[in-house]
């Protein structure tokens, strides 16, 4: 089989299905909006500072920020652009973003409640489109095509590098089968087959699940990624945790791939 015989859009969907990943409901993110604003939205956050350095704003006056969360990227770029539009399907995230904008005196930010799968026909086309850590979507080809249509100049997306959020050792300790998520390689090849030649760069950011100092904290991290755990799974993990050095359970960093391209008119 040759590489051009592979339908990467279909392969992405198959791998996502095999991984058993289900879309988190807006309420899941609503409950975490304040915590995310206090951690990953900090101006000094390592991931954010690296991402901003790599976004070329030349000739740009507007930003389309898909999966904006608490306004992390939108607010960081608001003073360099005429207008920024943050889009998210979580009302809790949008509320926190709007509050942060008010606190920072930002008056050129607009917030829109919308999901990847919904119509974007009434959303503004902007010079720059960004999807930061929000690209583990149901249909990669559809998502990238929609994002490409929302930009006049350039598009920037970040994707997972490691094919799992939770260590395989932890998944096995819980008694679960380890199945890989589709990482950035799928997105890169989907774009290639769409006729988009994206560049690839990498960002090394902090791992928000590195604090496993207590079993309760460890269990919270595992549940965040793997979902609800049975009593048997919790018992298995408790036994495993007792044999580990908490500080060594998770890497202090997490890598992300940045895909970027110029929009062809």
């Amino acid at each position: 089989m040759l590489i051009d015989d592979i339908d990467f859009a279909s392969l992405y969907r198959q791998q996502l299905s095999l991984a058993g990943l289900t879309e988190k409901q807006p309420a899941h993110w609503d409950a975490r909006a304040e915590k995310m604003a206090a951690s990953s939205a900090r101006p000094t956050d390592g991931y954010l500072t690296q991402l901003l350095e790599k976004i070329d704003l030349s000739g740009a006056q507007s930003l389309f920020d898909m999966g904006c969360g608490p306004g992390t990227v939108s607010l960081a770029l608001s003073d360099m652009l005429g207008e920024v539009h943050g889009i998210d399907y979580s009302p809790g995230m949008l509320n926190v973003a709007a509050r942060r904008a008010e606190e920072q005196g930002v008056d050129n930010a607009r917030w829109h409640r919308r999901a990847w799968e919904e119509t974007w026909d009434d959303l503004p086309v902007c010079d720059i489109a960004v999807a930061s850590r929000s690209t583990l979507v149901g249909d990669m080809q559809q998502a990238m095509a929609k994002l490409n249509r929302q930009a006049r100049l350039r598009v920037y997306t970040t994707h997972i590098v490691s094919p799992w959020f939770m260590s395989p050792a932890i998944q096995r300790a819980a008694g679960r089968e380890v199945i890989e998520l589709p990482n950035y390689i799928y997105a890169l090849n989907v774009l290639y087959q769409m006729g988009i030649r994206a560049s690839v760069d990498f960002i090394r950011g902090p791992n928000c699940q590195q604090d496993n100092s207590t079993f309760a904290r460890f269990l919270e991290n595992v549940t965040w990624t793997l979902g609800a755990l049975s009593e048997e799974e919790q018992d298995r993990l408790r036994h495993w945790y007792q044999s580990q050095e908490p500080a060594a359970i998770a890497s202090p960093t997490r890598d992300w791939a940045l895909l970027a391209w110029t929009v062809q008119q």
Side-chain angles (χ1 to χ4, degrees):
M1 176 182 290
L2 300 177
I3 191 169
D4 287 339
D5 295 326
I6 301 172
D7 181 347
F8 280 96
S10 176
L11 192 63
Y12 171 88
R13 293 192 297 270
Q14 292 175 32
Q15 190 63 39
L16 196 67
S17 177
L18 284 173
L21 188 71
T22 57
E23 182 182 6
K24 291 179 170 64
Q25 296 302 308
H28 175 92
W29 298 107
D30 292 347
R32 290 160 175 77
E34 293 289 355
K35 184 177 180 180
M36 287 185 64
S39 56
S40 60
R42 290 179 296 105
T44 57
D45 175 73
Y47 168 91
L48 179 60
T49 57
Q50 291 174 73
L51 175 63
L52 296 180
E53 289 173 358
K54 299 174 187 296
I55 295 177
D56 179 7
L57 296 178
S58 301
Q61 288 296 319
S62 56
L63 173 74
F64 184 95
D65 181 10
M66 183 59 198
C68 66
T72 306
V73 176
S74 294
L75 296 179
L77 294 177
S78 61
D79 63 345
M80 291 177 270
L81 296 166
E83 59 184 71
V84 295
H85 295 268
I87 299 90
D88 208 289
Y89 76 147
S90 162
M93 288 289 185
L94 295 175
N95 288 339
V96 171
R99 190 201 71 219
R100 294 182 65 234
E102 184 176 1
E103 291 172 349
Q104 295 175 29
V106 173
D107 60 5
N108 62 339
R110 303 293 179 267
W111 311 105
H112 312 266
R113 184 180 179 185
R114 204 66 53 88
W116 278 100
E117 299 78 13
E118 295 177 312
T119 180
W120 294 0
D121 290 347
D122 60 328
L123 296 179
V125 173
C126 297
D127 295 321
I128 303 293
V130 172
S132 170
R133 296 186 290 197
S134 63
T135 55
L136 203 55
V137 294
D139 189 323
M140 182 62 69
Q141 184 179 53
Q142 179 189 69
M144 295 300 97
K146 291 176 73 172
L147 200 62
N148 189 62
R149 290 195 296 270
Q150 293 300 134
R152 299 187 188 93
L153 300 178
R154 290 173 290 278
V155 180
Y156 298 87
T157 64
T158 61
H159 308 256
I160 58 173
V161 173
S162 170
W164 44 71
F165 284 114
M166 184 60 59
S167 161
I170 295 174
Q171 296 183 58
R172 293 190 189 99
R176 295 197 177 186
E177 182 181 3
V178 178
I179 300 178
E180 297 182 354
L181 291 164
N183 69 354
Y184 78 99
I185 289 295
Y186 290 79
L188 180 63
N189 282 286
V190 166
L191 288 167
Y192 173 79
Q193 292 186 333
M194 292 169 60
I196 294 174
R197 305 297 183 254
S199 64
V200 185
D201 203 343
F202 295 93
I203 295 172
R204 173 156 291 180
N207 184 354
C208 63
Q209 296 178 331
Q210 64 179 302
D211 179 10
N212 293 286
S213 54
T214 66
F215 179 70
R217 187 72 183 90
F218 168 70
L219 203 62
E220 180 182 344
N221 287 334
V222 177
T223 303
W224 165 267
T225 300
L226 300 184
L229 300 167
S230 68
E231 290 187 13
E232 179 184 354
E233 289 174 328
Q234 292 184 44
D235 288 342
R236 290 173 63 101
L237 288 170
R238 183 177 290 104
H239 177 75
W240 182 85
Y241 179 85
Q242 291 170 351
S243 67
Q244 305 298 309
E245 175 58 45
I249 287 177
S251 168
T253 61
R254 173 167 287 151
D255 291 340
W256 297 86
L258 171 64
L259 305 186
W261 66 91
T262 298
V263 175
Q264 301 300 315
Q265 301 297 340

